[in-house]
Amino acid sequence: PQSPPQGAGYYNTNGANAYQNIANMLAKQGDTEFSFTCMEMRDSEQSSSAACGPEELVAQTMAAAMSANVPYGGENALPRYDTTAYSRIEDVARAAENQYVLQMYRLRVPVVG
């Protein structure tokens, strides 16, 4: 379970899919985007003690947006500038053959100079 979403009242237990509920709400509002974070994170890079799955979480939120026909966007959660992180972001962007991925934001860009 992801603590921040649960703390906000979004539950993915007992067959509930909180992110589908969010996507459906966004679809009803119209002219909205489902924007999510952790696009650069891989499951294999997380500590087993964290019991987290960022790849599955991104897939779940993207699937929810796609099923509700809501454009999907994302951003990186960590200040990473390595090819592994960029590769993961590219994988996410290609996941739906770019049919629903609207944009990706690159946060925490280092300032040189």
Side-chain angles (χ1 to χ4, degrees):
Q2 295 86 24
S3 296
Q6 286 186 343
Y10 304 118
Y11 295 95
N12 284 311
T13 58
N14 299 327
N17 183 343
Y19 296 107
Q20 188 63 62
N21 296 339
I22 293 169
N24 293 341
M25 179 207 48
L26 292 173
K28 288 179 186 174
Q29 296 301 310
D31 196 27
T32 59
E33 171 190 337
F34 195 125
S35 186
F36 204 70
T37 189
C38 74
M39 298 296 161
E40 80 291 1
M41 298 172 73
R42 294 183 186 272
D43 292 354
S44 61
E45 297 172 332
Q46 310 309 309
S47 167
S48 61
S49 64
C52 66
E55 291 179 50
E56 288 81 10
L57 188 55
V58 168
Q60 180 184 5
T61 57
M62 183 184 290
M66 289 173 60
S67 73
N69 202 27
V70 173
Y72 188 78
E75 63 191 39
N76 56 304
L78 304 172
R80 290 187 53 185
Y81 316 105
D82 57 278
T83 56
T84 301
Y86 287 126
S87 175
R88 174 67 188 140
I89 291 170
E90 289 173 343
D91 291 346
V92 171
R94 285 191 294 265
E97 297 178 357
N98 294 325
Q99 293 175 354
Y100 293 92
V101 177
L102 180 64
Q103 57 195 347
M104 292 287 191
Y105 301 99
R106 184 173 159 212
L107 301 179
R108 298 163 194 87
V109 177
V111 177
V112 179

